[in-house]
């Protein structure tokens, strides 16, 4: 299928997002999500795909509190309509689009309308989810087959599965949409001859940080799951393979199991720390809230580069500034040798790393954050008073750094390399209706402002949320919104900030010491 817009008619890709862990989407799926014009989605577990998609149109068609999902015919009509407008549409679905996902119905509607479409399979909950509990759905010596079915029974219809056949099959049985009918299903199976001692598992929110598995026998699985307060989405798995769970469980211990973390950042940079949080069990919404827009046409930048001989030092305060500065330098035919005579300072370990990626070892990095610290570091590093210091940065940066430079006896030469623009995160409103973060992390003041604008409700009740900022400047912006208790690491590094958050979580869940 062509991805160009040369033809009048667009197309629809039905993409399976996998059961929850965002890492489980296919390469093809991710490719399409980042290049579509319209994203149509419903209640997904890995809804950060919605955040990562650059589609100008993101349409939610699922259920949200108080609102019904769009009826299926209307979803089909929407897909056809958007494709007929010439748009590249991605219809994103949890798990696999053809496994209880109504993908088949949508394809039929597209075929009927003559709209080209593509199906990108996804990891389905019944197979991928169970794998995350250490349960292989088949095993040569234990189970010779897998039967997958839905346990959702329309209210007015009788429970209509071939119970007797299922009881006789000797397969692993996986029931989707089964949380509401655990008693019925387990009861019918036993009634029709399956052993009451057959191992069974209820698996809730598999592959996410909130995954829980309840393992028991068929006779008592429903009661155990109710006792544990299991809620949809969940699967019921019945069969001897469930016995392997203990031996094969491979997920590491998750000290942050089920903790909800909102990680805000610039679209340009992704952080390993997010993966680290997920490995600890946190459910992380990795959310780009701002984007750096290079001031490509701004002659002041080229002038600053032309006049590099007139400055003695360059102080970089963000990784994006480093990347854009070098890009600009290269674009006008120069490279790092142009900076051979300059003192180069990095305001934080992140900036230091960005310089390293350009093949540059910074001369100086401060141990603490803050404008004053950067100026002091230049002094301590022996930069003579009266030196001119180039400050390539965001147009949103305030005057504190230039002021601190002047105070230290230097002449600051600020140059605005980029504008920080807020991204459209309107879909957050839907997400936040049933997902409240327990920790929110910020990497910049513009990030704070963007989130504050998009979701002011989050800031109204700051207590009970762990707020963390990479440095003091960012935390000042946060305090302005009314949040007064903020974690800020000593070193302005993402990993250090994440460590602080983990510590806070552990402190809040640790048993309180008993006063004697
Ligand atoms: N197309 C999806 C299934 C959609 S039906 C797929 O292939 O996985 C929705 C049902 O799928 C839920 O009721 C639940 O039974 C199951 N399900 C989806 N994601 C799940 C998850 N992460 N953990 C457990 N069950 C899940």
């Amino acid at each position: 299928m062509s991805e160009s817009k040369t033809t009048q008619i667009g197309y629809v890709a039905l993409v399976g997002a996998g059961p929850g862990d965002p890492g489980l989407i296919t390469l093809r799926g991710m490719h399409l999500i980042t290049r579509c014009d319209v994203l149509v989605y419903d209640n997904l577990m890995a809804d950060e795909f919605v955040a990562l998609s650059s589609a100008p149109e993101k349409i939610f068609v699922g259920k949200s509190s108080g609102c019904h999902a769009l009826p299926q015919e209307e979803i089909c009509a929407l897909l056809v309509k958007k494709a007929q407008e010439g748009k590249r549409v991605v219809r994103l679905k949890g798990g696999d689009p053809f496994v209880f996902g109504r993908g088949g119905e949508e394809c039929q509607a597209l075929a009927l309308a003559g709209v080209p479409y593509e199906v990108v399979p996804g990891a389905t909950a019944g197979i991928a989810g169970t794998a995350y509990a250490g349960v292989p759905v088949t095993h040569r010596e234990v189970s010779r087959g897998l039967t997958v079915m839905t346990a959702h029974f329309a209210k007015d219809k009788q429970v209509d599965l071939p119970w007797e056949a299922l009881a006789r099959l000797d397969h692993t049985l996986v029931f989707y949409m089964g949380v509401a009918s655990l008693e019925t299903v387990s009861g019918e199976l036993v009634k029709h001859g399956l052993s009451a001692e057959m191992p069974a598992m209820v698996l809730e929110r598999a592959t996410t940080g909130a995954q829980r598995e309840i393992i028991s026998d068929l006779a008592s699985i429903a009661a155990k799951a109710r006792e544990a307060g299991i809620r949809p989405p969940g699967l019921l798995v019945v069969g001897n393979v469930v016995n392997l769970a203990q031996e094969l469980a491979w997920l590491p211990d998750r000290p942050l199991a089920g903790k909800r973390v909102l990680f805000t950042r610039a679209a340009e940079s992704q952080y390993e720390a997010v993966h680290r949080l997920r490995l600890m069990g946190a459910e992380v919404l990795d959310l780009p809230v701002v984007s750096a827009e290079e001031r490509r046409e701004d002659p002041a930048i080229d002038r600053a580069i032309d006049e590099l001989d007139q400055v003695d030092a360059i102080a970089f305060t963000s990784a994006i500034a480093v990347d854009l500065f070098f890009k600009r330098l290269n674009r006008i035919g120069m490279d790092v040798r142009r900076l051979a005579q300059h003192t180069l300072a990095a305001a934080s370990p992140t900036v230091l790393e960005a310089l390293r990626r350009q093949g540059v070892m910074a001369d100086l990095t401060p141990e603490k954050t803050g404008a004053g610290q950067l100026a002091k570091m230049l002094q301590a590093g022996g930069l003579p008073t009266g030196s001119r210091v180039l400050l390539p940065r965001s147009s949103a940066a305030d005057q504190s750094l230039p002021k601190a430079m002047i105070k230290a006896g230097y002449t600051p030469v600020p140059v605005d390399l980029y504008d920080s623009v807020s991204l459209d995160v309107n879909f957050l409103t839907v997400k936040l209706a049933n997902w409240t973060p327990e920790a929110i992390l910020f990497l910049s003041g513009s990030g704070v402002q963007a989130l504050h604008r998009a979701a002011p409700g989050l800031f109204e009740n700051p207590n009970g949320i762990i707020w963390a900022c990479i440095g003091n400047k960012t935390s000042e912006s946060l305090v302005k919104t009314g949040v007064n208790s903020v974690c800020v690491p000593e070193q302005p590094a993402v990993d250090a900030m994440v460590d602080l958050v983990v510590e806070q979580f552990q402190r809040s869940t640790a048993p309180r010491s008993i006063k004697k």
Side-chain angles (χ1 to χ4, degrees):
M1 178 168 52
S2 150
E3 279 167 32
S4 72
K5 283 207 246 174
T6 47
T7 48
Q8 262 310 74
I9 196 146
Y11 71 83
V12 177
L14 269 84
V15 175
D21 179 344
L24 294 179
I25 196 166
T26 60
L27 283 175
R28 179 71 184 150
M30 200 60 219
H31 175 89
L32 290 166
I33 286 172
T34 51
R35 283 167 186 78
C36 61
D37 303 311
V38 183
L39 183 75
V40 179
Y41 68 103
D42 42 38
N43 310 71
L44 293 168
M45 296 257 250
D47 43 8
E48 72 181 60
F49 293 126
V50 183
L52 295 176
S53 166
S54 49
E57 238 183 307
K58 299 177 185 176
I59 307 175
F60 178 71
V61 295
K63 256 186 255 168
S64 63
S65 60
C67 290
H68 284 296
L70 211 60
Q72 189 60 43
E73 314 80 71
E74 284 180 39
I75 297 177
C76 291
L78 176 74
L79 297 178
V80 169
K81 175 168 163 274
K82 291 292 169 189
Q84 284 174 341
E85 286 169 12
K87 306 261 171 66
R88 300 169 299 175
V89 182
V90 164
R91 168 70 172 116
L92 190 61
K93 288 170 172 291
D96 181 274
F98 279 179
V99 180
F100 307 121
R102 299 203 162 190
E105 288 165 55
E106 291 172 16
C107 286
Q108 282 171 320
L110 294 167
L112 193 69
V115 170
Y117 62 87
E118 167 183 3
V119 181
V120 184
T124 187
I127 299 176
T130 42
Y132 267 48
V135 174
V137 285
T138 70
H139 186 290
R140 195 154 58 100
E141 277 140 27
V142 185
S143 167
R144 297 158 52 84
L146 166 68
T147 298
V148 166
M149 67 222 101
T150 165
H152 175 74
F153 308 110
K155 280 208 183 80
D156 48 347
K157 289 209 186 116
Q158 69 190 93
V159 173
D160 54 355
L161 283 174
W163 300 112
E164 211 172 318
L166 290 175
R168 248 185 305 116
L169 253 182
D170 202 17
H171 274 189
T172 303
L173 306 177
V174 175
F175 297 87
Y176 284 66
M177 296 173 263
V179 173
S181 51
L182 291 172
E183 288 78 4
T184 312
V185 172
S186 53
E188 291 289 337
L189 287 173
V190 174
K191 202 158 87 193
H192 288 85
L194 200 57
S195 160
E197 273 132 51
M198 181 58 82
M201 167 172 78
V202 173
L203 186 55
E204 182 189 43
R205 301 174 72 83
T207 81
T208 72
Q211 173 175 322
R212 285 200 296 168
E213 56 263 15
I214 306 295
I215 294 181
S216 181
D217 53 29
L218 202 47
S220 50
I221 188 70
K224 289 258 169 68
R226 297 287 171 236
E227 213 176 279
I230 292 279
R231 302 193 346 162
L235 298 158
L236 170 65
V237 184
V238 180
N240 286 314
V241 285
V242 170
N243 272 342
L244 293 165
Q246 210 168 11
E247 185 188 338
L248 301 185
W250 56 272
L251 277 182
D253 265 357
R254 288 166 297 163
L256 300 191
K259 299 288 184 208
R260 298 178 299 275
V261 177
L262 177 54
F263 188 97
T264 65
R265 62 175 170 92
E268 290 71 22
S269 347
Q270 270 173 292
Y271 298 90
E272 190 56 30
V274 168
H275 183 62
R276 194 153 69 86
L277 281 164
R278 288 204 175 113
L279 282 182
M280 286 187 274
E283 252 188 273
V284 188
L285 178 60
D286 182 19
L287 186 71
V289 287
V290 288
S291 163
E293 215 158 79
E294 186 184 0
R295 302 187 132 203
R296 280 188 79 118
E297 308 301 329
D298 190 346
I301 303 171
D302 297 323
R303 208 174 317 124
I305 291 181
D306 266 352
E307 294 170 0
L308 270 173
D309 289 334
Q310 296 172 27
V311 298
D312 309 285
I314 309 177
F316 290 99
T317 48
S318 79
I320 291 164
V322 171
D323 294 344
L324 290 178
F325 183 81
F326 280 87
K327 212 160 124 193
R328 194 77 167 224
L329 202 62
N330 295 160
R331 208 182 296 135
I332 52 182
M334 295 179 203
D335 63 21
V336 62
R337 287 169 296 176
R338 188 69 188 77
L339 311 179
Q341 308 306 324
H342 297 83
T343 297
L344 299 182
S348 71
T350 316
V351 180
L352 191 70
E353 190 47 46
L355 278 168
R356 227 175 252 152
R357 281 198 301 270
Q358 301 289 345
V360 175
M361 307 300 236
D363 301 298
L364 305 160
T365 335
E367 288 193 345
K368 293 202 176 128
T369 69
Q373 295 295 331
L374 193 60
K376 269 191 205 137
M377 172 190 74
L378 292 175
Q379 282 176 322
L383 188 72
T385 315
S387 295
R388 290 167 60 84
V389 183
L390 187 67
L391 306 173
R393 56 200 210 135
S394 153
S395 60
D398 67 8
Q399 288 309 310
S400 54
L401 184 57
K403 275 190 194 148
M405 291 286 171
I406 292 170
K407 204 164 152 211
Y410 300 128
T411 305
V413 185
V415 54
D416 294 342
L417 275 188
Y418 60 97
D419 301 315
S420 272
V421 294
S422 297
L423 294 174
D424 170 12
V425 284
N426 288 338
F427 84 96
L428 250 189
T429 330
V430 174
K431 169 89 177 164
L432 293 176
N434 46 25
W435 190 91
T436 40
E438 292 161 277
I440 308 181
L441 285 67
F442 296 99
L443 301 177
S444 71
S446 49
V448 171
Q449 285 146 15
L451 189 70
H452 190 230
R453 259 194 308 272
L458 275 178
F459 295 74
E460 272 160 22
N461 241 330
N463 298 338
I465 296 181
I466 299 171
W467 301 84
C469 288
I470 183 112
N472 293 326
K473 274 250 75 81
T474 308
S475 124
E476 278 165 28
S477 307
L478 186 54
V479 168
K480 276 193 202 133
T481 70
V483 173
N484 47 26
S485 171
V486 185
C487 307
V488 183
E490 294 245 328
Q491 275 270 352
V494 177
D495 278 321
M497 173 175 61
V498 165
D499 288 345
L500 266 188
V501 170
V502 173
E503 236 171 71
Q504 282 296 322
F505 269 130
Q506 284 172 338
R507 204 169 294 162
S508 57
T509 51
R512 300 252 165 86
S513 60
I514 300 163
K515 279 191 194 135
K516 292 217 175 111

